[in-house]
Amino acid sequence: MTTPAIQNDLSYYRRSLSRQRIDESPTQHGTTLPLMPADDMPVTAELANCMSLYYAQATPMLRVLSDSTSRFVSEHKEVDVQQTTETLGTMAQVCQKMLETTGQLLTFR
């Protein structure tokens, strides 16, 4: 997916379903205001939640890092790919050491 449009649409749909459930709750006069019966919904709330999880990226930060690195390597042919690989390896080692250090780990909790 190159755009987050479907994820945004699903989020909007799920919020609309939530609002509809709130609107269908009994009013102060004891009546309800049904907007659309649950049986007529094209996509149920449960299915919308599953679809949202399917389209969501598991690790957005890793995805951005990967996309940025790929773009950098393709746009800067003069930089040796080995240097980029070593830089990413160093960044990964720094993150690993930070997590192995007890004091650092507690700052993230």
Side-chain angles (χ1 to χ4, degrees):
M1 291 178 50
T2 58
T3 62
I6 193 161
Q7 184 69 22
N8 290 339
D9 292 345
L10 279 170
S11 294
Y12 176 79
Y13 183 77
R14 291 170 57 214
R15 286 191 306 273
S16 297
L17 286 177
S18 294
R19 279 194 298 268
Q20 180 175 348
R21 280 194 295 258
I22 291 170
D23 289 344
E24 287 179 350
S25 62
T27 63
Q28 64 183 2
H29 302 293
T31 61
T32 59
L33 304 171
L35 299 176
M36 179 182 278
D39 296 339
D40 293 341
M41 298 300 283
V43 177
T44 64
E46 183 179 343
L47 180 58
N49 290 337
C50 291
M51 290 171 65
S52 181
L53 289 174
Y54 176 78
Y55 285 111
Q57 295 177 1
T59 53
M61 182 179 161
L62 183 59
R63 182 68 185 170
V64 169
L65 180 63
S66 174
D67 291 345
S68 299
T69 303
S70 297
R71 188 171 49 251
F72 176 81
V73 168
S74 65
E75 291 175 359
H76 297 89
K77 302 286 184 190
E78 70 277 3
V79 177
D80 187 21
V81 175
Q82 184 65 29
Q83 289 177 331
T84 306
T85 305
E86 288 176 11
T87 302
L88 290 173
T90 302
M91 289 173 56
Q93 288 176 346
V94 168
C95 291
Q96 180 183 9
K97 291 296 180 190
M98 287 175 64
L99 292 174
E100 288 175 351
T101 305
T102 307
Q104 288 289 332
L105 185 59
L106 292 176
T107 60
F108 293 112
R109 289 187 180 173

